[in-house]
Amino acid sequence: MLDPPALLNALVERAREALQVDTAAILLLDRRSGHLVATAASGLEEEVQQGVQIPVGRGFAGRIAAQGRPVVLDEVDHTKVINPILLDKGIRSLMGAPLLAEGKVIGVLHVGTLTPRAFTSDDVDLLQLAADRAAVAVQALTAQVDRAATSVLQRSLVPSALPVVGGLEMAARYVPGTGNVGGDWYDVFPLPTGEVCAVIGDVAGTGLPAAVIMGRIRSVMQAYALQTADPAELLDQLDREMRYFESDAMATVLCAMVSPSRDHIRISSAGHLPPIIARPGEPATLADVAPDLVVGVSPLDRRHVSTVDFPPGAVLCLYTDGLVERRDQPIDHGIEKLRAAVTNAEPEAGCASVMAAMADYSPHTDDVALLILRRAPGESGDYPAARRPRRRRRHVQDLHAAAEQRVPDLGDSRRRIAGQVDPRRPGTQRGRRAARAEHQLADLAGARQDGDQDVGPGGEPADLRHPARSAPGGLPSGLGPQVARQHPVPGPDQVCADGQAHPAQPHQPDLRHRRTVTGSRGAEPDLDAARLEGVQRLRPGAVWPVVAHGTLGGPVLGGVQGPEALVEAGGV
């Protein structure tokens, strides 16, 4: 069996061969937009590929759709067509006929030639015959596609699994009808207030449009239920929404709010069938619920709320008209048959017995939605409100691990740099430069351990923004002792790597000269030329953190790729 696009393509190919023309195309009517949409073509594939749309009443195809009769153009020019593809293709003559279904235009079939041709009345009759056959096929395919799409959409909107809430047991059934799929639906969801909202409804109409409106109503109900737990106000909000955005839609809706204690239910009905309640030791009865106007019709007064008791073991049955309505019997007979079938049994067993009883009553052709809720026997008291799932938080150790991955081990780096010092020539310039690089690593190690240091809005440590808070020696308070522990500044009796003794002096970097050192790839950190003169160049792709004022000039963990970027003094 051919799929719809392939079948339509086969139809236009047959019409092209039968009429011995160069082009043939089918444009289907989109009633919402009022445009003819190119759907299948032979010799005019560009129309389909470019998604050509022709307004009804304009151009060649639009004129056919507006008049509902065949049209022939012996000579094509820009005054008679609005589709530039026809002119670019070099079509000289055109003939078209409407696709009619139940007396209504659903599309247009037109053919064309690249040379002038005077189409005869026999040609017109043959084209209209082909258009009639195409209309039957299009109508059948459209119904098939709509039904499949509606069924998939409707099943996707009905809950695949009912929620698990404290104090309530529930079960449901949804069975599509044997005719056109309608807009029956139900929904159950707990609210942050601890209440449980159960909704059931039926959208007027059938097919895909009804299913689409059903989905919108379900989404609106869920959204407004987070703002109010009053079922009447909830239906009022839904009614305003639908009358504004879906002015031609109507639906019956029943909203039931089960209290947090589960001992009573508040119900508001917008023209829906009354629910059935079965209490332990009592026969099932119709709940005393005040009916209001359906959704989509402006109510004159505020909607009503009815409160019913819901003792332990009680059952509430919500349903749509497809379960109780039959063409040959009054609907009251079906409701009475359903009332007799409802018991306070466990909901899953109750659904099975109800569906069996109503199937014996009379086979249904409409959609059926059934929802049964039972208060858990022997339980009482308020139940906790529904909680939103907590977002997973990143632990401190995860942050540390991420930093460890991006910042290489400083101990290994110090050892590698220390290896640059020639012990046989400690007083050489090469040795002094390596010693300065060692000081830089010590500063970086101190800043890395100082995890509690304040950071300013620009990312720089707070102590650098406020020099008055800095400790003696030019290091920010809290950072100097750690740097001193990691790498003490040599005193009078200490010897540096250059073999010379130096008096202890405060660490005062020279800020008069700064330069930028970059590799062939990577960022361009500012480096103090006076402090980092030993860094001659960076390896390609390496990045060295900004070091200034004896500490880090801002958060730099994200930019470090490794101290191995340092190279021997003098360059390699």
Side-chain angles (χ1 to χ4, degrees), residues 284-446:
T285 60
L286 295 180
D288 187 12
V289 175
D292 290 310
L293 292 177
V294 300
V295 170
V297 179
S298 179
L300 300 178
D301 300 316
R302 190 180 185 277
R303 297 182 182 276
H304 299 84
V305 175
S306 303
T307 303
V308 297
D309 294 334
F310 200 49
V315 165
L316 181 71
C317 176
L318 309 179
Y319 55 96
T320 58
D321 58 357
L323 186 64
V324 297
E325 188 176 29
R326 301 294 184 269
R327 294 182 181 275
D328 56 344
Q329 299 186 33
I331 192 172
D332 290 344
H333 291 180
I335 294 177
E336 177 60 26
K337 181 72 174 181
L338 174 63
R339 186 201 62 78
V342 174
T343 65
N344 59 351
E346 185 269 335
E348 191 63 39
C351 281
S353 62
V354 165
M355 295 298 293
M358 300 311 293
D360 292 341
Y361 167 61
S362 176
H364 64 86
T365 58
D366 196 4
D367 293 359
V368 171
L370 172 67
L371 177 62
I372 293 181
L373 289 81
R374 184 175 77 157
R375 182 180 175 187
E379 296 190 12
S380 62
D382 287 354
Y383 293 87
R387 295 182 178 179
R388 296 179 60 188
R390 294 182 179 180
R391 296 181 179 179
R392 291 181 294 179
R393 300 177 180 176
R394 296 189 63 183
H395 299 289
V396 176
Q397 55 266 35
D398 296 334
L399 297 176
H400 288 173
E404 291 291 345
Q405 293 177 359
R406 303 190 70 174
V407 181
D409 183 73
L410 298 179
D412 293 342
S413 301
R414 279 197 294 270
R415 287 190 290 272
R416 287 196 294 270
I417 293 178
Q420 302 291 340
V421 180
D422 190 344
R424 296 170 299 177
R425 302 176 62 189
T428 61
Q429 184 180 14
R430 176 180 179 183
R432 288 193 296 272
R433 288 174 175 170
R436 292 190 184 99
E438 174 72 6
H439 281 281
Q440 298 293 334
L441 285 175
D443 291 346
L444 179 59

Side-chain angles (χ1 to χ4, degrees), residues 441-476:
L441 285 175
D443 291 346
L444 179 59
R448 183 182 175 191
Q449 291 186 2
D450 190 12
D452 297 330
Q453 184 181 359
D454 294 335
V455 178
E460 72 278 3
D463 287 333
L464 296 184
R465 295 182 287 110
H466 302 283
R469 295 170 54 187
S470 298
L475 292 175

